[in-house]
Amino acid sequence: MGQQPITFLRQVVALCCYPQLLESPSFPEDAKQRAQRILQDCGGQSLGSYSASQGVECIRQHVADYITQRDQGVPSDWNNIYLTTGASDGIMSILKLLVSGQDTCRTGVMIPIPQYPLYSAAISELEAVHINYYLDEDNCWALDIEELQRAYLTAKQHCQPRVLCIINPGNPTGQVQSKKCIEEVLHFAYEENMFVMADEVYQDNVYSSDCQFHSFKKVLYEMGPEYFNNVELVSFHSTSKGYTGECGFRGGYMEVLNMDPQVKVQLIKLLSVRLCPPVAGQAAMDVIVNPPKEHEPSYAQFTKEKSSVLDVLAHKARLTERILNSVPGIKCNPVQGAMYAFPRIFIPPRAIQEAQARSMAPDMLYCLKLLEETGICVVPGSGFGQREGTYHFRMTVLPSPEKLKVLLGKLKDFHLCFLEEYSQEEPQLSRSSQHQHRENSKPDA
Amino acid sequence: MGQQPITFLRQVVALCCYPQLLESPSFPEDAKQRAQRILQDCGGQSLGSYSASQGVECIRQHVADYITQRDQGVPSDWNNIYLTTGASDGIMSILKLLVSGQDTCRTGVMIPIPQYPLYSAAISELEAVHINYYLDEDNCWALDIEELQRAYLTAKQHCQPRVLCIINPGNPTGQVQSKKCIEEVLHFAYEENMFVMADEVYQDNVYSSDCQFHSFKKVLYEMGPEYFNNVELVSFHSTSKGYTGECGFRGGYMEVLNMDPQVKVQLIKLLSVRLCPPVAGQAAMDVIVNPPKEHEPSYAQFTKEKSSVLDVLAHKARLTERILNSVPGIKCNPVQGAMYAFPRIFIPPRAIQEAQARSMAPDMLYCLKLLEETGICVVPGSGFGQREGTYHFRMTVLPSPEKLKVLLGKLKDFHLCFLEEYSQEEPQLSRSSQHQHRENSKPDA
């Protein structure tokens, strides 16, 4: 999408890969120091050795330092840090560890709806029960504690609810949960003895000036020792989001709090089967948690690149929301964080009938037509889950502002035509003329 | 263990990581070309983008070309190639795909004994049934087809045998299977409709001059189209072994043959949940399957480094076998391939009694004592499985020849003392004097 990598991160990883570059005058000293520090803790001082299954020791320590700093002094023990192959791997491992039982004893996993499909896929794969709690679209996709309780009580009748997944900032919904909401969730988890999985991979992606990222851990700490020493909580982070977007490196970490020591032994055993996370990804994670300091040579460029990515993302989030909301029949909540807009779309009854006739979700029909007619690819809301009778799609806000404007313009035109087409009486005639009209327009991102 | 990385591989990966280096005169042209070719097929020409879940297209094509060349013209279709996060990830994914059922309908997975513990761990995790077939220690750990049939028929009474795993060259046993043996195995798989998982990660690690690596695929091809078009076969490879030993990059591939197209769809779905293998590991895999050509500037150095690693490994394999066989009470089969010796050790009855009293496998007692008294860490045979009443340990042949000699010398001394200690009548007295004697020796690798 044109987003440039952070120079310092790539320098450190390249230096680790090919340490002969440590002699090169074209790399800054702080990048060399980071690389040397990482290599020092690698077997044979090489990125090619297996690391411990939990990750390279100094990187785990840097992660703990980062968390302490992020949470303004809340202590973090590096023994609770596990480096992972992206966040997905950590999420899968924890779910695998927690899911058990058969029939009505099956483990219930509470997931937000809409959700990131990794969760539903993992839950199916593990034969657990997914318990849907619906985010409140009318309240900017906030998590509603009463809805959480409703879902819990209903599910208790046919499974053992044991795990509560939260994505904050939200994917695909882009909301940033308030501190009060997080407190309520943690109180609920405490009362009902739920294991909390906090997917916080978008912690650096907050755009609304009236929103702030609150880590589940910090809120838990502030609720006092009774909570902080008891609620089982795992938080996930990743190199794939934030201002780095280094998805291909498959870097990530998780911090595991209050896990029973005997269960922890099983977690380590489970992680050991897969040997270790990719060490280059671990190095990338190190840079994110241990960026250049103010007095170091790479600080200025790093800060400039970081702000530039985040500022542009914030701009694109507002731009997307504004243009989408200018279209009749589209309603988009503020994109407070993450990288997505998840607008609600009005689909005329006739289009719904056509979709049903084709055994297709109505928003799938919409998205397929959008793709065919404009080349724009977005994901139907039905892939993430949504309240029955509502329709959405997810789009990223990642393209450059110029492309985004063109794309949203085309989307707007498409939507208006779609509404018109399915409000008319004679679909065959009008669709064929539509098609001719659109043949002249070129596909887009 | 002191083995140096292959320069060309690290250059290509570093260039991919930090493409500014493409301008640097200190990198050879062929490394730059490889990096450019890989980046061309990466999203946004960046190692930081997710690749397709099956891997970067040109790397998959290079893998297919490599296989065709390795197998002297047997065709390979890059659509059957999947890049993986090391071989372990591929093995886990395929097992996950194949395992199903409950009670007597559970999937049976045939594994060699001794085996690499990934298999037993994965089978437990997936709640499949492991079906042990014993390798023939008296015949240099060859696979005995009658033993395979025996295991199959016995297992059929309580599960559904469906998967046959073979490790060739063997881990931990170091044997290289003959062509005739592979033919018999494939004939068996054809007759019994078994899905064959060929773990061929040590295909470059063959040391005995009277042995040769035969890929399961090539042998299957030579058995004729009836076999080649029907036997379901997956072969695994990795960046972690061979002459590269790039474990930390978590690179690998699998070639999937004759899989039902509907099952293949599920495989791709399963792989997609985890997004993609680490792209730096994919790039490392590319170098292994697409090394410098004879006319290219890096050819000489690459060839020298590769031969040097493999020649030293061959030397160390012979050295290990020879010294181990010089010790009374230790018997080691030839280390024909892979990276391990798996000697059989005689453990005196009194040591067996002591182990039983401590609820410990006798070879675990042996290995713990070896570790405590010499600092040498080897893995007890009971971790890999062995015929009842026999005892082994696995050691790598990776340390430098100088260290290996010292290490094997200490091991020999330890073994003789161990035999002596447990053959005497008054253990308490003799053990305490042993201990004093050994306190002066420093721990080793």
Side-chain angles (χ1 to χ4, degrees):
Chain A
M1 289 293 178
Q3 183 181 312
Q4 290 308 303
I6 301 289
T7 305
F8 184 72
L9 186 149
R10 293 299 187 93
Q11 286 174 332
V12 172
V13 180
L15 285 159
C16 287
C17 265
Y18 190 56
Q20 281 87 331
L21 291 170
L22 289 165
E23 310 296 323
S24 162
S26 48
F27 283 78
E29 279 309 309
D30 48 356
K32 290 181 184 175
Q33 281 162 14
R34 293 292 192 292
Q36 277 168 320
R37 182 69 194 89
I38 294 168
L39 290 176
Q40 214 179 315
D41 273 23
C42 289
Q45 306 216 5
S46 170
L47 224 53
S49 302
Y50 290 120
S51 74
S53 297
Q54 287 155 272
V56 172
E57 198 167 299
C58 74
I59 303 179
R60 294 166 67 204
Q61 288 165 345
H62 294 155
V63 169
D65 296 345
Y66 158 80
I67 293 172
T68 304
Q69 202 181 0
R70 179 198 70 189
D71 291 344
Q72 295 158 332
V74 178
S76 175
D77 180 350
W78 68 273
N79 288 300
N80 294 333
I81 307 296
Y82 301 74
L83 301 181
T84 55
T85 308
S88 309
D89 164 58
I91 292 168
M92 278 297 295
S93 300
I94 293 293
L95 280 174
K96 188 174 286 179
L97 194 72
L98 299 177
V99 165
S100 66
Q102 289 187 332
D103 302 325
T104 55
C105 283
R106 280 202 291 165
T107 305
V109 180
M110 304 191 74
I111 54 172
I113 297 293
Q115 53 107 32
Y116 177 60
L118 166 67
Y119 291 94
S120 48
I123 291 167
S124 295
E125 197 180 310
L126 297 167
E127 297 181 42
V129 179
H130 60 96
I131 305 170
N132 298 339
Y133 65 91
Y134 289 85
L135 300 174
D136 186 357
E137 181 162 16
D138 295 334
N139 191 15
C140 205
W141 297 114
L143 196 163
D144 174 12
I145 193 73
E146 283 175 26
E147 163 61 11
L148 199 64
Q149 274 152 345
R150 178 207 60 77
Y152 174 80
L153 291 173
T154 313
K156 249 190 131 170
Q157 293 165 17
H158 62 272
C159 70
Q160 305 275 345
R162 188 67 190 89
V163 187
L164 170 55
C165 301
I166 292 120
I167 312 174
N168 179 50
N171 177 6
T173 38
Q175 84 285 16
V176 178
Q177 302 293 4
S178 71
K179 191 174 164 188
K180 179 168 166 293
C181 164
I182 295 172
E183 269 173 14
E184 287 172 347
V185 170
L186 287 168
H187 181 74
F188 166 82
Y190 173 83
E191 291 293 329
E192 306 296 357
N193 194 25
M194 297 290 278
F195 192 108
V196 180
M197 292 176 64
D199 181 338
E200 297 180 319
V201 297
Y202 295 103
Q203 58 190 265
D204 284 321
N205 299 98
V206 176
Y207 312 123
S208 285
S209 54
D210 52 348
C211 287
Q212 198 189 329
F213 170 73
H214 301 277
S215 79
F216 269 70
K217 185 185 178 197
K218 179 158 184 272
V219 175
L220 189 66
Y221 182 79
E222 288 167 354
M223 288 167 79
E226 179 56 22
Y227 288 85
F228 191 63
N229 298 328
N230 285 297
V231 173
E232 292 165 294
L233 171 65
V234 182
S235 165
F236 303 93
H237 198 9
S238 163
T239 60
S240 306
K241 319 296 175 190
Y243 52 91
T244 52
E246 296 285 13
C247 318
F249 283 93
R250 313 306 299 119
Y253 76 73
M254 55 185 181
E255 184 181 29
V256 179
L257 295 180
N258 295 322
M259 184 179 270
D260 183 295
Q262 283 183 286
V263 179
K264 217 165 180 173
V265 170
Q266 300 304 320
L267 173 61
I268 292 168
K269 195 187 278 184
L270 191 62
L271 296 175
S272 305
V273 176
R274 247 58 72 79
L275 301 163
C276 72
V279 186
Q282 298 185 42
M285 194 75 241
D286 188 74
V287 173
I288 295 174
V289 296
N290 187 23
K293 308 280 179 296
E294 210 167 337
H295 62 276
E296 291 180 324
S298 301
Y299 181 78
Q301 188 183 0
F302 177 87
T303 310
K304 196 177 148 215
E305 289 175 352
K306 175 179 170 176
S307 318
S308 156
V309 170
L310 290 175
D311 291 350
V312 172
L313 276 171
H315 169 64
K316 294 187 289 193
R318 284 188 292 270
L319 183 75
T320 304
E321 176 199 336
R322 186 167 51 75
I323 299 183
L324 286 174
N325 279 328
S326 76
V327 185
I330 295 190
K331 193 180 171 308
C332 183
N333 268 322
V335 181
Q336 298 171 332
M339 295 170 171
Y340 315 99
F342 195 70
R344 182 163 170 182
I345 46 177
F346 171 71
I347 296 188
R350 265 238 338 277
I352 295 175
Q353 284 160 20
E354 180 179 325
Q356 280 161 348
R358 293 169 65 181
S359 306
M360 200 182 263
D363 46 15
M364 175 58 112
L365 175 76
Y366 181 94
C367 292
L368 271 182
K369 280 187 162 277
L370 177 67
L371 178 63
E372 284 163 3
E373 298 188 13
T374 67
I376 298 170
C377 181
V378 300
V379 189
S382 45
F384 304 92
Q386 54 201 351
R387 282 211 183 264
E388 212 182 312
T390 70
Y391 305 106
H392 302 79
F393 63 79
R394 185 189 86 165
M395 62 172 283
T396 73
V397 301
L398 296 175
S400 69
E402 298 67 38
K403 281 200 175 168
L404 206 51
K405 273 182 212 161
V406 175
L407 184 158
L408 288 163
K410 288 193 180 181
L411 200 150
K412 183 174 183 167
D413 292 346
F414 165 83
H415 187 80
L416 295 175
C417 289
F418 184 88
L419 288 191
E420 200 191 326
E421 182 181 345
Y422 284 100
S423 309
Q424 287 172 8
E425 284 307 309
E426 288 169 282
Q428 291 314 316
L429 183 66
S430 81
R431 277 168 75 196
S432 117
S433 70
Q434 289 286 352
H435 189 254
Q436 279 191 335
H437 169 72
R438 281 182 202 131
E439 260 180 358
N440 298 321
S441 61
K442 287 233 180 77
D444 208 291
Chain B
M1 291 291 176
Q3 183 181 313
Q4 291 308 302
I6 300 290
T7 305
F8 185 72
L9 185 149
R10 293 299 187 93
Q11 286 174 332
V12 172
V13 179
L15 285 159
C16 287
C17 265
Y18 190 56
Q20 282 86 332
L21 291 171
L22 289 166
E23 309 296 323
S24 162
S26 49
F27 283 79
E29 279 310 307
D30 47 355
K32 291 183 184 175
Q33 281 162 11
R34 293 293 191 292
Q36 277 168 320
R37 182 68 194 88
I38 293 167
L39 291 175
Q40 214 180 315
D41 272 24
C42 290
Q45 307 217 3
S46 170
L47 223 53
S49 303
Y50 291 120
S51 74
S53 296
Q54 288 155 271
V56 173
E57 198 167 299
C58 74
I59 303 180
R60 294 166 68 206
Q61 287 164 345
H62 295 154
V63 169
D65 295 345
Y66 158 79
I67 294 173
T68 304
Q69 202 181 359
R70 179 198 70 190
D71 291 343
Q72 295 158 331
V74 179
S76 175
D77 180 349
W78 69 273
N79 288 300
N80 294 334
I81 307 296
Y82 301 75
L83 301 180
T84 56
T85 307
S88 309
D89 164 56
I91 292 169
M92 278 298 294
S93 300
I94 294 292
L95 279 174
K96 189 173 283 176
L97 193 73
L98 298 178
V99 165
S100 66
Q102 289 186 332
D103 303 324
T104 55
C105 283
R106 280 202 291 166
T107 305
V109 180
M110 305 191 75
I111 53 173
I113 297 294
Q115 54 106 30
Y116 177 60
L118 165 67
Y119 290 94
S120 49
I123 291 167
S124 294
E125 199 181 310
L126 297 168
E127 298 181 40
V129 179
H130 60 96
I131 305 170
N132 298 340
Y133 64 90
Y134 289 85
L135 300 175
D136 186 357
E137 182 163 15
D138 295 334
N139 190 15
C140 205
W141 298 113
L143 197 163
D144 173 13
I145 194 73
E146 283 175 25
E147 163 60 11
L148 199 66
Q149 274 154 345
R150 179 207 61 77
Y152 174 81
L153 290 174
T154 314
K156 250 191 130 169
Q157 293 164 19
H158 63 272
C159 71
Q160 304 276 345
R162 189 67 189 90
V163 186
L164 170 56
C165 301
I166 291 120
I167 312 174
N168 179 49
N171 177 3
T173 37
Q175 84 285 16
V176 178
Q177 302 295 3
S178 69
K179 191 174 165 188
K180 179 168 167 291
C181 163
I182 295 171
E183 269 174 13
E184 286 172 348
V185 169
L186 287 168
H187 182 74
F188 167 81
Y190 173 83
E191 290 293 328
E192 306 297 354
N193 193 24
M194 299 290 279
F195 192 107
V196 179
M197 293 175 65
D199 180 339
E200 297 179 320
V201 297
Y202 295 103
Q203 57 191 266
D204 284 322
N205 299 99
V206 176
Y207 312 123
S208 285
S209 55
D210 52 349
C211 287
Q212 198 189 328
F213 170 73
H214 301 278
S215 79
F216 269 69
K217 185 186 177 196
K218 179 158 184 269
V219 176
L220 189 66
Y221 181 79
E222 289 168 354
M223 288 167 78
E226 178 56 23
Y227 289 84
F228 191 63
N229 297 329
N230 285 298
V231 173
E232 292 165 293
L233 171 66
V234 181
S235 164
F236 303 93
H237 198 10
S238 164
T239 60
S240 306
K241 319 297 176 191
Y243 52 91
T244 52
E246 297 286 12
C247 318
F249 282 93
R250 314 303 301 118
Y253 76 74
M254 55 187 182
E255 184 183 28
V256 180
L257 295 181
N258 294 324
M259 184 178 269
D260 184 295
Q262 282 183 288
V263 179
K264 217 165 179 173
V265 170
Q266 299 303 321
L267 174 62
I268 293 168
K269 195 187 276 185
L270 190 64
L271 297 174
S272 305
V273 175
R274 246 58 72 76
L275 301 162
C276 73
V279 186
Q282 297 185 42
M285 193 77 241
D286 188 74
V287 172
I288 295 175
V289 296
N290 188 21
K293 307 281 181 292
E294 209 166 338
H295 62 276
E296 291 180 321
S298 300
Y299 181 77
Q301 189 182 0
F302 176 87
T303 308
K304 196 176 147 212
E305 290 175 352
K306 175 179 170 178
S307 317
S308 156
V309 170
L310 290 176
D311 291 350
V312 172
L313 277 171
H315 169 63
K316 295 187 288 193
R318 284 187 293 269
L319 183 76
T320 304
E321 177 199 335
R322 186 166 52 77
I323 300 185
L324 286 174
N325 280 327
S326 76
V327 186
I330 294 188
K331 192 178 172 310
C332 184
N333 267 323
V335 181
Q336 299 172 330
M339 295 171 172
Y340 315 100
F342 195 68
R344 183 162 171 184
I345 45 177
F346 171 71
I347 296 187
R350 267 237 338 276
I352 296 175
Q353 283 160 22
E354 181 180 323
Q356 280 161 350
R358 294 169 65 181
S359 304
M360 198 181 264
D363 47 14
M364 175 59 111
L365 175 76
Y366 181 94
C367 292
L368 271 181
K369 279 186 164 277
L370 176 68
L371 178 62
E372 285 164 2
E373 298 188 14
T374 66
I376 298 170
C377 181
V378 299
V379 188
S382 45
F384 304 91
Q386 55 201 350
R387 282 213 183 261
E388 214 182 312
T390 68
Y391 305 106
H392 302 79
F393 64 78
R394 186 191 84 165
M395 61 172 284
T396 72
V397 302
L398 295 175
S400 69
E402 298 68 38
K403 282 199 175 168
L404 205 51
K405 273 182 210 159
V406 174
L407 185 158
L408 289 164
K410 288 191 179 183
L411 200 150
K412 182 175 184 169
D413 292 346
F414 165 83
H415 187 81
L416 296 175
C417 290
F418 184 88
L419 288 191
E420 199 191 326
E421 184 181 341
Y422 284 100
S423 307
Q424 286 170 9
E425 284 307 308
E426 288 169 282
Q428 292 313 316
L429 184 66
S430 81
R431 278 167 75 196
S432 117
S433 71
Q434 290 286 352
H435 189 254
Q436 278 189 336
H437 169 72
R438 280 180 202 133
E439 259 179 0
N440 299 320
S441 62
K442 289 234 180 74
D444 207 291

